[in-house]
Amino acid sequence: MLIANMKKSPSRLDVLQGTLDLLVLKTLSALGPQHGYGIARRIEQVSGDLLALNQGTLYPALLRLEQQALITSEWGVSDKNRRARFYQLTAAGKAQLESEINRWRLLSAAVNAIIAEPSTV
C-alpha cells in the first residue's frame, strides 16, 4: 500500500507504507528537534523533491511515534515566530532507528536482487 504524496506529479514518488517512521526518525536524528513542517520539508529536500508528505500523512505518524515513546514533543516558537510543536528523538527512538535502518538495508537488497534478475519476457 502506498501513502499519497502532497503533489501528484510524475516527478514525485509515493512513500511506501512502513518507511515513513524510518524517514521521520532519521530526520530527527540528523537535525535534532524539529516541528512537523520542518520534518516534511527536510525529507523533501534530501530526496531531491522526489518525496513529499502531506499533513494527513505526517501528523498521524508523529502521534504514533510519540505514543510508542520513540519521540517526545513540546511546544515552542518556530523561526517565523509561530507556536509549533517540536519533536525530538528519544533513546528508544535511536535504538529503533538502528533497527529500521538494518531492516531497510536487508529489504532493499532483496528487492534489488529480484529486479536485477534478467527478464525472460
Side-chain angles (χ1 to χ4, degrees):
M1 177 169 214
L2 296 175
I3 298 173
N5 64 29
M6 184 185 301
K7 300 171 187 165
K8 283 290 190 185
S9 76
S11 63
R12 295 273 176 130
L13 302 175
D14 291 333
V15 177
L16 289 172
Q17 186 172 351
T19 60
L20 181 55
D21 292 358
L22 169 61
L23 297 174
V24 170
L25 294 175
K26 180 60 180 174
T27 299
L28 291 173
S29 173
L31 297 179
Q34 290 292 308
H35 50 75
Y37 182 79
I39 293 168
R41 294 299 69 85
R42 181 63 176 178
I43 290 170
E44 234 177 57
Q45 178 186 29
V46 172
S47 73
D49 288 329
L50 288 175
L51 302 177
L53 304 176
N54 64 40
Q55 290 181 3
T57 300
L58 180 60
Y59 287 97
L62 290 169
L63 177 61
R64 182 180 61 252
L65 291 170
E66 191 167 18
Q67 289 172 339
Q68 294 172 352
L70 301 177
I71 63 174
T72 60
S73 69
E74 62 181 45
W75 287 101
V77 178
S78 72
D79 294 341
K80 297 189 180 202
N81 208 25
R82 293 186 179 167
R83 190 167 183 246
R85 192 177 265 307
F86 285 79
Y87 299 89
Q88 182 172 328
L89 204 57
T90 63
K94 290 176 186 175
Q96 182 67 24
L97 174 60
E98 294 282 327
S99 175
E100 291 292 325
I101 288 172
N102 290 333
R103 187 171 167 259
W104 177 257
R105 287 183 175 145
L106 288 172
L107 176 63
S108 61
V111 170
N112 284 332
I114 292 167
I115 63 175
E117 189 73 20
S119 180
T120 58
V121 180

